[in-house]
Amino acid sequence: MGRWGLRLHRQTAEWMPGRNSTVVTEFLLTAFADHPHWGLPLFAAFLGFYLLTLLGNCAMILLIRQDRRLHTPMYFFLGHLALVDVCYSSTVVPQVLAVLLEGGVVLSRARCAAQFLLFTFFASMDCYLLAIMAYDRCVAVCRPLLYVAIVTEKARWVLVAGAYAAGFSSALIRTVTAFTLSFCGNNQIDFIFCDLPPLLKLSCGDSYTQEVVIIVFAVLVMPACILVISVSYVCIVLAVVRMRSSGGRAKTVSTCASHLAAVALFFGTLIFMYLRDNSGQSSEADQVVSVLYTVVSPMLNPLIYSLRNKEVKDAVLKSLTRPKVSGRF
């Protein structure tokens, strides 16, 4: 269907008895609907961002697997972060590209719920992994002699498996709760994917119980992770202040700087989007912010960690020069 054909697509709905409205069973997903001329430029930009995300994160995963110097707890967690970022971006961006190219996409309620579930799961995993990485850095800086004994291979797998289990459980409960809401009237979602704020705008009837459940589980993810990260870095700062060696301070700051940059970018945009009163806010502004945490952040993470990390840069140089060395024999 063409750009304008989708905009005229009839709303699939059923009559709700006793109400002057209809129950929505399909959603018309649009993006930047007030600026149709942005479609092709945004399509090209998002496609470029997505390809860079896939290239950067997949390269990071391969690099960590191949270089034995990167077989440490920090890079173990970073490898999982790269994997989650690939899945996270792939949940949203391909559909955004279709929306921008066609002018809109019609989604069934089930398909919208599936995207919301996957997005919530991978976003939660990003939060958990960034918190785990902050804890890992805290132990490495504050308890360097006990680090190997504390962050064992078993402990790493327990932390990551717990993050996956907690992330999926939270996402499943939030999705089931969100999609027990009644959606009626307008079925257009002017957003880049099926996210909670635009869905709540389409809900009708008493949704107090569902919103409380959603908020409670949101608090268990984002603010809890921010608390872990904050406490970890307070401990790191106190440990750095007590260091006598300026070289040790510089190395610690350099190691933690990349993680802090990733945390600031990801959590900063999430806080702006979810931990505020968004009533009366511009849908366009929300879409711009959502682009930062769904498209830009997963793309920049490999760049942030590679530029600020000597081990990664050395591993990249080694992998680039390896074909030349092998070619001499």
Side-chain angles (χ1 to χ4, degrees), residues 118-274:
L118 291 173
F119 164 77
T120 307
F121 170 52
F122 292 123
S124 299
M125 279 302 304
D126 251 352
C127 293
Y128 286 133
L129 286 171
L130 288 171
I132 290 171
M133 291 170 73
Y135 166 75
D136 172 70
R137 291 298 84 207
C138 179
V139 176
V141 174
C142 301
R143 296 288 186 270
L145 298 179
L146 298 175
Y147 178 69
V148 176
I150 294 173
V151 190
T152 61
E153 185 176 359
K154 180 180 178 181
R156 290 179 242 163
W157 279 109
V158 168
L159 286 170
V160 169
Y164 278 105
F168 184 77
S169 301
S170 172
L172 182 62
I173 292 171
R174 293 183 70 197
T175 302
V176 171
T177 304
F179 282 85
T180 56
L181 292 169
S182 296
F183 302 103
C184 52
N186 179 27
N187 73 331
Q188 182 175 346
I189 299 177
D190 187 18
F191 205 67
I192 65 173
F193 65 101
C194 286
D195 199 9
L196 189 60
L199 286 171
L200 289 177
K201 291 178 182 179
L202 300 183
S203 66
C204 54
D206 184 13
S207 60
Y208 177 77
T209 303
Q210 289 95 328
E211 289 184 21
V212 168
V213 172
I214 291 167
I215 290 170
V216 167
F217 277 91
V219 167
L220 291 176
V221 178
M222 201 191 322
C225 291
I226 291 172
L227 178 62
V228 171
I229 293 169
S230 301
V231 172
S232 297
Y233 273 99
V234 167
C235 295
I236 289 171
V237 168
L238 293 176
V240 169
V241 170
R242 291 195 296 266
M243 287 181 181
R244 295 180 181 180
S245 167
S246 58
R249 287 198 200 99
K251 184 178 180 181
T252 302
V253 171
S254 177
T255 303
C256 295
S258 56
H259 179 257
L260 275 175
V263 166
L265 177 62
F266 186 69
F267 280 100
T269 51
L270 284 182
I271 288 170
F272 180 84
M273 189 68 186
Y274 296 104

Side-chain angles (χ1 to χ4, degrees), residues 56-114:
N57 284 285
C58 290
M60 182 68 73
I61 294 169
L62 291 174
L63 201 64
I64 292 171
R65 287 181 62 87
Q66 290 178 357
D67 197 306
R68 294 189 63 83
R69 291 174 299 176
L70 303 183
H71 291 181
T72 62
M74 182 175 73
Y75 295 105
F76 173 81
F77 299 130
L78 180 57
H80 280 275
L81 181 67
L83 174 62
V84 167
D85 278 345
V86 169
C87 299
Y88 177 52
S89 185
S90 298
T91 300
V92 175
V93 180
Q95 183 173 274
V96 177
L97 294 175
V99 169
L100 292 171
L101 194 62
E102 296 293 329
V105 170
V106 177
L107 299 179
S108 66
R109 190 179 178 116
R111 186 177 166 190
C112 187

